[in-house]
Amino acid sequence: MKPLPLLLSTCLAAVGLLPVAASATPAHFTVQDGQFLLDGKPYVIRSGEMHYPRIPHADWRDRLRKARAMGLNTITTYAFWNVSEPEPGHFDFTGDNDIATFVRTAQEEGLNVIVRPGPFVCAEWEFGGFPAWLLRTPGLRVRSYDPRFLAASAAWFKRLGKELAPLQATHGGPILMMQVENEYGYVGNDVDYMKAIRQQMLDAGFDVPFFMSNGPGPTWMSRGTLPGMLSVINFTGDAGKTQRAFARSATSMQGMPKMAGEYWSGWYDRWGEKHNTRSNDEVTGAVGWMLDHDISFNLYMVDGGTNFGWMNGANNDDGHYLPVTTSYDYDSPIDEAGRLTPKYAALREVIAAHLPKGERLPAPPASSPTTAVARVELRESIGLLDALPTLSPHPRTTVTPQGMETFGQNYGLILYRKELDSAAQGKLDVDDVRDYATLLVDGRPIGTLDRRKDEHALPVDLLAGDTLDVVVENMGRINIGTGMEEESKGITQSVQAGGEDLTKWTTYPLPLDNLSGLAFKTGATPAGPAFWHGTLDVPTVAGTFLDLRGWHKGNVWINGHHLGRFWDIGPQQSLYVPAAWLRKGKNDVVVLEMQGSGSHSLAGVANPVFSTKPAP
């Protein structure tokens, strides 16, 4: 019988986890004898998670340099399928989606890289990183052996391989390892599916060591890991909890290098809940314990960044829909604006005390500056209903309401219009609201329906000839767990008034991906949802946070960049504006406010604003 380390190495090579001897370029990184080896020497991975689409590409080098100076030797990132294949077969690896440039920049800054290419990423990211167009195929099941899903994921990996395969350590690049799937043990144990994903990665040209990550302990690890595959664990807690997490996982990690695939160094926020933080003492205690025991780790996150645009995800807690905020600061060592926090200094001190002989940390760069910007009144506006001919010039008619995917739409808002043939009294029931509906009659707001609260009905007294408009905002698709296959957005089933189905609808898809044609006017005060326009005068270009207190709910664009959502229920009350998206002098600002009342002015502040509005 072979010794266990040799047996493990043999198994890893058989599943593609170790490079084969015939490789044209010998790999300098290997998994052997229960250790990571770099150039033949034991190597402790000190990694931090950083997601390229959550940080403007102009800031990548700055953030990576700061991560290196904190003491990290590796950066981990997901590869985000939905931003790079927005429509089937149409790939975009430019700008903020240019993962290859991100990886090369990390290498230039002295960092190795671990890539987690999915196809599922979770990450509190829209639909867990899956492209929304998958939902256009009825009955398709993501994260399964469904051949329609596997055909789509194979195409994704094949195209991603063209970007990343040349950047693997086996080809002289910085990519040391790649992850197969992501925390699959939480949701399934289909070995055939896991094998299929691993094979697709091999077929795409990925030949560095593979690994799988799950929660600690044999239950999750056995369900979500292929036999013989390197297994790492995801968790949080202080030094004691860290020790117990590895103790619970010892049998599942026997003969393997020990690694925290995700050590959660902070936490994310959800709309209507408190702002989350994690203490520096807890985090540094855990990291210190791992370094004391030569355990590799990946800090999730080292720089959380921002869910720009429509890209926030949502949780499904026991059937309860909970969307994630625009900010993904995550209480990270490097904050959303690129500033170095006390957590950064504390972690740098711990890491510096555990450096191998001869290694020294570079001096940390200066924190990214932020600035206040004078308040400006937005005096120009146009009502959403008045803007329909510009934003959605080709409405569609259907007998019953259909989800936005039916119309080839992935994100944004969608408006359903019904001209009433007869009067209707009683309860107006919208089934289902996905996710936040604003209802209007003849342009006058009559109420809202919020999926978070399981709201779907309100009393009405409608007259024949009234125009009923239901404006539904996609607040982000569920990014993990049950219900992902049913995340169509808009109105997904029917609308009834007084117990009778309302039919014959006109639908206006509103992806809001181009607002340049809006005809703003001064002096108007629209009663319902409206776009407000003005200019923000920036004397010195630096990052800032738009203070949205006084506004209600909506979205903001600056110089054409979609910053994301705001909502007065908090905890987030401001939106981060990267310096890279500003210019000295006049900056164009558009705010979509879904309610007619409230403030129409805004200012930039130097620090983010968090507070939670008391529930009614």
Side-chain angles (χ1 to χ4, degrees):
M1 181 176 178
K2 296 179 181 178
L4 183 58
L6 180 58
L7 178 60
L8 175 64
S9 297
T10 303
C11 292
L12 297 178
V15 297
L17 206 146
L18 293 180
V20 295
S23 175
T25 305
H28 299 289
F29 178 81
T30 56
V31 182
Q32 185 177 326
D33 298 329
Q35 299 180 93
F36 296 122
L37 300 178
L38 188 66
D39 294 329
K41 298 177 182 179
Y43 184 66
V44 175
I45 295 171
R46 308 189 305 263
S47 178
E49 189 96 8
M50 189 183 295
H51 297 154
Y52 56 95
R54 283 178 159 143
I55 301 169
H57 63 273
D59 294 328
W60 288 348
R61 187 175 300 278
D62 170 75
R63 303 300 198 271
L64 291 164
R65 185 169 294 172
K66 288 168 178 171
R68 178 70 188 96
M70 194 181 83
L72 303 184
N73 55 27
T74 305
I75 284 293
T76 297
T77 186
Y78 289 116
F80 293 84
W81 184 4
N82 57 359
V83 298
S84 284
E85 193 181 5
E87 291 295 330
H90 297 277
F91 293 93
D92 179 10
F93 287 96
T94 64
D96 294 346
N97 302 334
D98 189 352
I99 186 173
T101 293
F102 179 80
V103 170
R104 284 191 290 266
T105 304
Q107 183 179 31
E108 291 165 3
E109 294 301 322
L111 292 158
N112 294 313
V113 178
I114 295 171
V115 175
R116 307 201 281 169
F120 169 75
V121 302
C122 184
E124 292 71 58
W125 189 257
E126 222 280 341
F127 203 25
F130 292 131
W133 48 260
L134 290 171
L135 293 167
R136 300 176 197 168
T137 301
L140 182 148
R141 297 187 65 81
V142 299
R143 304 186 80 182
S144 79
Y145 204 69
D146 185 328
R148 298 167 298 178
F149 172 72
L150 290 176
S153 64
W156 157 243
F157 283 125
K158 182 178 180 180
R159 181 61 183 84
L160 183 65
K162 295 180 180 179
E163 301 292 320
L164 297 185
L167 298 175
Q168 297 173 102
T170 45
H171 302 268
I175 299 174
L176 301 182
M177 297 196 296
M178 284 193 165
Q179 179 178 291
V180 176
E181 240 279 347
N182 184 46
E183 297 181 326
Y184 182 65
Y186 287 140
V187 299
N189 59 354
D190 187 339
V191 173
D192 289 336
Y193 166 66
M194 291 187 283
K195 286 181 177 179
I197 296 301
R198 182 188 64 195
Q199 188 60 50
Q200 288 182 356
M201 292 174 62
L202 292 169
D203 292 343
F206 298 135
D207 56 10
V208 291
F210 290 172
F211 68 97
M212 303 185 82
S213 67
N214 289 282
T219 300
W220 307 126
M221 297 175 77
S222 63
R223 285 169 53 88
T225 307
L226 287 169
M229 183 77 78
L230 175 63
S231 187
V232 304
I233 56 175
N234 301 347
F235 64 94
T236 194
D238 59 15
K241 291 182 179 178
T242 299
Q243 182 178 4
R244 290 192 292 274
F246 280 99
R248 289 200 312 273
S249 309
T251 57
S252 300
M253 305 176 85
Q254 190 172 2
M256 302 180 186
K258 306 299 186 290
M259 181 172 180
E262 291 182 12
Y263 173 78
W264 304 321
S265 54
W267 203 243
Y268 58 93
D269 291 340
R270 304 186 296 201
W271 289 114
E273 299 181 347
K274 69 178 182 67
H275 174 54
N276 289 303
T277 60
R278 183 154 282 137
S279 79
N280 295 350
D281 288 345
E282 180 177 318
V283 173
T284 55
V287 170
W289 184 89
M290 286 187 280
L291 289 172
D292 285 342
H293 294 82
D294 292 330
I295 293 175
S296 296
F297 62 83
N298 174 42
L299 295 176
Y300 189 101
M301 305 284 297
V302 64
D303 183 342
T306 309
N307 295 317
F308 292 117
W310 311 108
M311 286 296 109
N312 66 277
N315 295 163
N316 180 19
D317 287 5
D318 296 324
H320 189 44
Y321 175 80
L322 297 166
V324 174
T325 60
T326 300
S327 173
Y328 199 68
D329 180 89
Y330 212 87
D331 192 29
S332 298
I334 305 169
D335 80 0
E336 188 176 12
R339 298 178 297 183
L340 308 184
T341 68
K343 185 175 287 184
Y344 180 99
L347 282 165
R348 188 174 190 272
E349 182 177 351
V350 169
I351 293 171
H354 291 83
L355 291 177
K357 185 177 180 180
E359 182 178 351
R360 298 179 62 185
L361 298 184
S367 278
S368 301
T370 58
T371 187
V373 179
R375 183 167 294 277
V376 62
E377 189 78 22
L378 306 187
R379 302 186 184 278
E380 298 180 330
S381 65
I382 182 172
L384 175 64
L385 302 187
D386 294 329
L388 288 179
T390 299
L391 296 174
S392 190
H394 305 291
R396 303 276 294 276
T397 57
T398 59
V399 175
T400 59
Q402 303 291 318
M404 63 170 56
E405 297 81 6
T406 302
F407 306 102
Q409 181 183 353
N410 296 327
Y411 314 112
L413 281 64
I414 187 166
L415 185 147
Y416 302 89
R417 173 167 288 175
K418 167 64 181 173
E419 305 283 348
L420 270 78
D421 302 317
S422 58
Q425 292 81 35
K427 183 173 69 172
L428 182 71
D429 197 327
V430 183
D431 183 20
D432 279 338
V433 175
R434 302 290 181 88
D435 301 299
Y436 188 92
T438 301
L439 292 89
L440 307 99
V441 175
D442 293 338
R444 294 176 288 102
I446 63 169
T448 60
L449 300 172
D450 185 350
R451 182 183 177 189
R452 295 178 314 116
K453 301 178 181 179
D454 299 320
E455 294 175 343
H456 58 89
L458 74 170
V460 294
D461 187 359
L462 304 175
L463 303 176
D466 283 349
T467 298
L468 171 66
D469 288 319
V470 184
V471 185
V472 184
E473 180 179 357
N474 167 3
M475 287 294 298
R477 292 179 178 86
I478 292 169
N479 59 261
I480 189 170
T482 58
M484 292 185 69
E485 300 87 356
E486 301 168 356
E487 272 298 89
S488 294
K489 295 299 184 178
I491 299 175
T492 60
Q493 296 191 48
S494 65
V495 179
Q496 291 188 336
E500 298 293 329
D501 283 334
L502 296 182
T503 58
K504 299 179 183 178
W505 291 85
T506 302
T507 305
Y508 296 81
L510 298 166
L512 305 185
D513 48 12
N514 183 358
L515 306 182
S516 62
L518 292 179
F520 295 105
K521 296 180 180 179
T522 58
T525 307
F531 296 92
W532 292 84
H533 177 252
T535 56
L536 198 67
D537 195 357
V538 177
T540 302
V541 174
T544 192
F545 295 85
L546 289 186
D547 185 351
L548 276 303
R549 286 175 292 185
W551 296 78
H552 297 296
K553 186 181 191 303
N555 286 260
V556 179
W557 292 259
I558 190 159
N559 295 330
H561 296 282
H562 187 183
L563 299 182
R565 312 174 203 270
F566 65 89
W567 200 352
D568 61 0
I569 64 173
Q572 179 178 357
Q573 301 287 351
S574 57
L575 283 173
Y576 173 57
V577 187
W581 293 356
L582 293 170
R583 51 179 175 257
K584 187 175 181 179
K586 303 296 183 182
N587 291 264
D588 188 79
V589 181
V590 177
V591 179
L592 170 61
E593 167 64 271
M594 295 304 294
Q595 299 183 25
S597 61
S599 171
H600 297 132
S601 71
L602 49 79
V605 293
N607 294 297
V609 181
F610 294 101
S611 65
T612 303
K613 180 178 180 181

